Amino acid sequence: MSDALTRSAEAGGSAPPKSSAVVAVLAFAGIVVSLMQTLVIPIVPELPKYLDASPSNTIWAVTATLLAASVATPVVGRLGDMFGKRRMLLVSIVLLVVGSVVCALSDSLVPMIAGRTLQGLAAAVVPLGISVMRDVLPTEKLTSSVALMSASLGVGGALGLPTAAFIADRFDWHILFWTSAALGAVAFALVLAIVPESKVRAGGRFDLVGAIGLSTALVSLLLGVSKGSDWGWTSGTVLGLFATAIVVLLAWGAFELRTSQPLVDLRTLARRQVLFTNLASVAFGFSMFAMSLVLPQLLQLPEQTGYGLGKSMLTVGLVLAPQGLVMMAMAPLSAAISKTKGPKITLMTGAVIVAAGYGLNILLMSEVWHLVVVSCIIGAGVGFAYGAMPALIMGAVPATETAAANSLNTLMRSIGTSFASALAGVILAQMTTDFGSAALPSENGFKTVMAVGAGAALLALLLASFLPRQRAADAKAASPAAGPDDEQAETPQVSQAKA
């Protein structure tokens, strides 16, 4: 058993919890939170009727969650490092439960948006869980556990779609949110009962100015990206949002470099290992989301188009669900490769698999089973990559900055998915075919988006090639302050001596 668990037991006067139980609970909490990504997708077309509002306004039920998550992820990660990762994990789950209850009681737009915003504020659960693992798990179990926790992001999203579609088809739509509230309550109880609090704390003063500045820049950037197609990419509003994001981000960076206790340590982010991992994360987030946009539309478009398959939303969910299971199944293999070859090789392997999956999708898109195979291949590649990214981050930052660094890496993936949504929307809007009185995305439009997704994966491969080579990833990830560009990781004995 690790020193961390032993110290926790001594401090609390009781036996330490089993590491397998801690991992299972944290992974379950990650899956519950990631369900929020796809929870409302099956009912988006019906929201105007349910909420008595226009389609342009009801789409804020999706946008609000994205914006809230972008603000919460880095801020809550830093608070976790300062005041306790488990404590902030519990706070995040409470926000999820409260937001779910608010949505479940809603019949109008404003409370729905408020509830979805609260759900988005829970987005830091996965990076917080990964950071808890670094502090409390035995060294030999860390890499595989982190890979499983990281995969929970995709697992929840993939499994949530068929579940939500099934509930929406057969029950009142409010049941969706009562279900998420119940799952959140279970996750809260399990975390409270089983997950120990980490003793690793950064302390210090919270950088409120830095938090406001980063939040303003992120909201401006992501709001412009997500609403650009609706408001017009050259409109004054969108250009103003982008200009605000750039100006505020530059001012924020200058402030963070001068303050003694910054929200985000930019000098740490500039380390080669952290920098290129985050850049690769943006590319991977872009690549992964391209599939989430293409496959559902291909499955639902009318068969008369010649390339659409005319399936229901429930079928869409069932086609995408195996992808999440494959991601989870890849976690042990991803960890094994990281242990023997280093997480850099794991990340590069994942990029190659994702690119190959998109290439295959360009050729195979005419049958349901084609799309099942493609989604599983891409899911396998994403599982490899998502398991490697936290190991790379933790191998280059001090233990007192783990939650903040992992949260920022999660944010980078989210930024990538936002840009993927915007670019794919532009491509599909420009490459259309006439179908009766409607203009639908053309087959070549879908193939173009797939090609862009493959290109993003290859870009992630290129960026990952600049990472320093690592071995003995577990030992390095467990080290409280491993150097940024070490060619060899420290041994567990050295790490324990430093601790």
Side-chain angles (χ1 to χ4, degrees), residues 131-151:
S131 303
V132 169
M133 288 177 176
R134 180 184 190 181
D135 295 343
V136 306
L137 291 184
T139 298
E140 66 275 8
K141 292 188 176 182
L142 182 59
T143 300
S144 58
S145 301
V146 166
L148 180 63
M149 184 71 190
S150 190

Side-chain angles (χ1 to χ4, degrees), residues 223-358:
L223 185 58
V225 170
S226 62
K227 304 298 287 186
S229 58
D230 295 331
W231 295 344
W233 291 104
T234 58
S235 68
T237 302
V238 172
L239 293 177
L241 286 169
F242 288 150
T244 299
I246 293 171
V247 171
V248 173
L249 197 59
L250 291 174
W252 171 81
F255 176 82
E256 292 296 282
L257 289 172
R258 289 198 306 269
T259 188
S260 59
Q261 296 178 333
L263 176 74
V264 177
D265 190 340
L266 295 181
R267 293 176 178 85
T268 298
L269 291 185
R271 294 174 179 176
R272 179 158 61 113
Q273 186 162 310
V274 179
L275 176 62
F276 281 99
T277 300
N278 283 332
L279 291 175
S281 297
V282 175
F284 249 106
F286 188 105
S287 184
M288 178 183 178
F289 202 68
M291 176 197 63
S292 301
L293 291 168
V294 169
L295 266 59
Q297 292 193 61
L298 280 175
L299 284 162
Q300 290 183 283
L301 284 176
E303 292 183 74
Q304 291 82 355
T305 59
Y307 51 90
L309 300 176
K311 303 300 181 181
S312 67
M313 178 58 75
L314 180 58
T315 302
V316 172
L318 294 174
V319 168
L320 295 179
Q323 175 203 17
L325 300 177
V326 169
M327 287 179 66
M328 183 171 286
M330 288 298 105
L333 183 56
S334 170
I337 295 175
S338 292
K339 285 181 179 180
T340 57
K341 302 295 184 180
K344 171 184 176 178
I345 300 302
T346 309
L347 180 56
M348 296 177 72
T349 301
V352 171
I353 294 173
V354 170
Y358 277 113

Side-chain angles (χ1 to χ4, degrees), residues 428-441:
L428 296 178
Q430 295 298 319
M431 303 181 69
T432 61
T433 184
D434 292 331
F435 184 75
S437 60
L440 299 178

Side-chain angles (χ1 to χ4, degrees), residues 73-86:
T73 302
V75 171
V76 174
R78 176 59 179 159
L79 290 172
D81 283 331
M82 293 176 64
F83 303 115
K85 303 175 182 73
R86 174 177 176 268

Side-chain angles (χ1 to χ4, degrees), residues 2-5 7 22-23 26 81 85 127-139 141-143 145-146 149 198-200 271 390-406 473-483 490 495:
S2 70
D3 288 349
L5 280 175
R7 289 194 298 271
V22 173
V23 173
L26 290 174
D81 283 331
K85 303 175 182 73
L128 284 171
I130 291 171
S131 303
V132 169
M133 288 177 176
R134 180 184 190 181
D135 295 343
V136 306
L137 291 184
T139 298
K141 292 188 176 182
L142 182 59
T143 300
S145 301
V146 166
M149 184 71 190
S198 166
K199 302 302 178 182
V200 180
R271 294 174 179 176
L392 287 162
I393 293 295
M394 291 190 296
V397 302
T400 53
E401 298 179 18
T402 302
N406 276 323
D474 274 2
K476 188 166 186 177
S479 173
E490 294 176 340
S495 298

Side-chain angles (χ1 to χ4, degrees), residues 208-225:
L208 180 61
V209 174
I212 294 173
L214 182 59
S215 300
T216 300
L218 289 173
V219 168
S220 299
L221 174 65
L222 294 177
L223 185 58
V225 170

